[in-house]
Amino acid sequence: MRVDRAAPPLVAHVVHHFGTGGLENGLVHLINGTPPGRYRHALVCLADATDFVRRIHQPGVELIQLHRRAGQDWAVLARLGRTLRALRPAIVHTRNLSALEGQIPAALVSGARRVHGEHGRDVFDLAGANRKYNLLRRAIRPLVHRYVPVSRDLAEWLERRIGVEPERIRQIYNGVDPLRFSPRQGARPDLAPPGFLPDPALVVGTVGRLAGVKDQATLLDAFARATSGDAIPQARLMLVGDGPLREDLEGRARALGIAGRVWFAGDRADVSDLMRLVDIFVLPSLGEGISN
């Protein structure tokens, strides 16, 4: 691959999988929000990507999928190494534990600076105390030039538990555009299914991937208890997001007898507008790096 030395520096973003999620959403905003001519971007998925990638509007972003097999697939690191040597990026930016091993082949790319982002601890180790995981983190620690956690809690954990020197940590919060995410003025947006909202209505809502760590199941249970016996007849629940537990959660809503008052809105691109439907926002997650 011939490299244009006059071109802006290339950032290779390495993730495990690119689908609906807060990490991925943040990466979309980062790429789309980069001033033209400042950096070029390549998105490297160790596994694969979904249609969520269509939210990237910055022109010229190369998508590379390495189709990592389930389990320990060491061959994917060789494929990543060949990919990075062909791309010759100025910066390799891995994110979270599932992509941390990408720092190993990245260390063989001449001149590349290596960054690792921490957006939240592993779903199977919310406290960040798993000995095996932390041994891996400490083993790869010398290869990383700079760590970028999204919260002070993660920054302190990197320093205290993983042994990263403070000067190699730069904590940066997730960005929120206040022009898009602002309170509603006047009537609610007309976005709910026909007949779903009574007048008046009390809308409880949450936004998140439908997965165990986000714990929408507890929110369904709480909503059912709070509205039992038609105690709050105008109450409605909106769950924005999609994921592997959707079918289970829909079944839970039916079993609780609240299916007619719950809207599974699915994976949406108009979250800022949907938020203006909500009177009460609930974040039921078991753990977050920092919630978007």
Side-chain angles (χ1 to χ4, degrees):
M1 177 178 177
R2 185 176 179 274
V3 178
D4 182 0
R5 297 297 180 185
L10 175 66
V11 183
H13 303 276
V14 181
V15 297
H16 171 68
H17 169 77
F18 199 79
T20 303
L23 182 160
E24 294 84 354
N25 192 56
L27 182 49
V28 166
H29 290 308
L30 176 66
I31 292 174
N32 288 341
T34 301
R38 181 75 176 272
Y39 290 101
R40 294 174 295 131
H41 301 275
L43 177 58
V44 184
C45 304
L46 297 179
D48 47 33
T50 69
D51 286 346
F52 195 79
V53 75
R54 294 179 181 174
R55 298 192 183 192
I56 296 176
H57 301 139
Q58 185 80 265
V61 178
E62 185 173 1
L63 171 65
I64 300 168
Q65 302 177 72
L66 301 180
H67 306 296
R68 182 178 195 161
R69 296 190 300 272
Q72 191 58 265
D73 180 10
W74 292 109
V76 76
L77 296 184
R79 297 195 295 276
L80 176 60
R82 290 193 294 270
T83 298
L84 293 177
R85 287 192 296 274
L87 290 172
R88 298 179 67 181
I91 300 170
V92 178
H93 191 158
T94 58
R95 286 171 169 82
N96 276 3
L97 179 66
S98 57
L100 178 60
E101 293 165 332
Q103 291 285 330
I104 298 171
L108 303 177
V109 179
S110 177
R113 303 297 290 175
R114 299 180 296 277
V115 178
H116 181 68
E118 285 288 353
H119 293 249
R121 301 182 187 96
D122 190 81
V123 63
F124 301 110
D125 180 33
L126 296 176
N130 183 284
R131 183 173 179 272
K132 177 182 175 182
Y133 293 165
N134 288 342
L135 283 173
L136 175 63
R137 291 180 172 112
R138 293 187 191 108
I140 293 180
R141 181 185 62 200
L143 303 179
V144 182
H145 292 121
R146 183 62 62 97
Y147 286 85
V148 181
V150 299
S151 68
R152 284 183 292 174
D153 172 64
L154 286 170
E156 292 168 1
W157 167 76
L158 283 170
E159 182 180 350
R160 182 183 67 255
R161 180 81 71 164
I162 309 304
V164 180
E165 301 87 345
E167 59 270 20
R168 287 204 287 150
I169 300 173
R170 175 69 183 275
Q171 188 257 313
I172 302 175
Y173 287 117
N174 293 323
V176 176
D177 183 351
L179 297 179
R180 291 186 59 219
F181 289 88
S182 58
R184 71 172 179 259
Q185 304 293 328
R188 300 178 198 268
D190 185 18
L191 296 172
F196 178 71
L197 294 182
D199 186 16
L202 176 69
V203 181
V204 180
T206 193
V207 179
R209 187 166 50 91
L210 303 185
V213 69
K214 301 299 183 181
D215 201 22
Q216 290 94 347
T218 294
L219 177 55
L220 289 170
D221 293 346
F223 182 82
R225 290 184 61 182
T227 60
S228 63
D230 213 24
I232 315 175
Q234 74 273 29
R236 297 295 184 269
L237 178 60
M238 178 184 73
L239 276 64
V240 180
D242 211 339
L245 292 187
R246 176 162 183 162
E247 186 175 337
D248 291 346
L249 292 169
E250 289 175 336
R252 194 183 195 99
R254 289 191 295 272
L256 290 167
I258 58 173
R261 289 183 285 170
V262 179
W263 176 28
F264 287 86
D267 186 11
R268 304 284 293 240
D270 56 348
V271 171
S272 58
D273 295 322
L274 287 167
M275 292 277 278
R276 295 187 186 97
L277 285 173
V278 172
D279 299 296
I280 302 171
F281 181 87
V282 181
L283 183 71
S285 296
L286 300 175
E288 292 277 354
I290 195 164
S291 175
N292 284 289

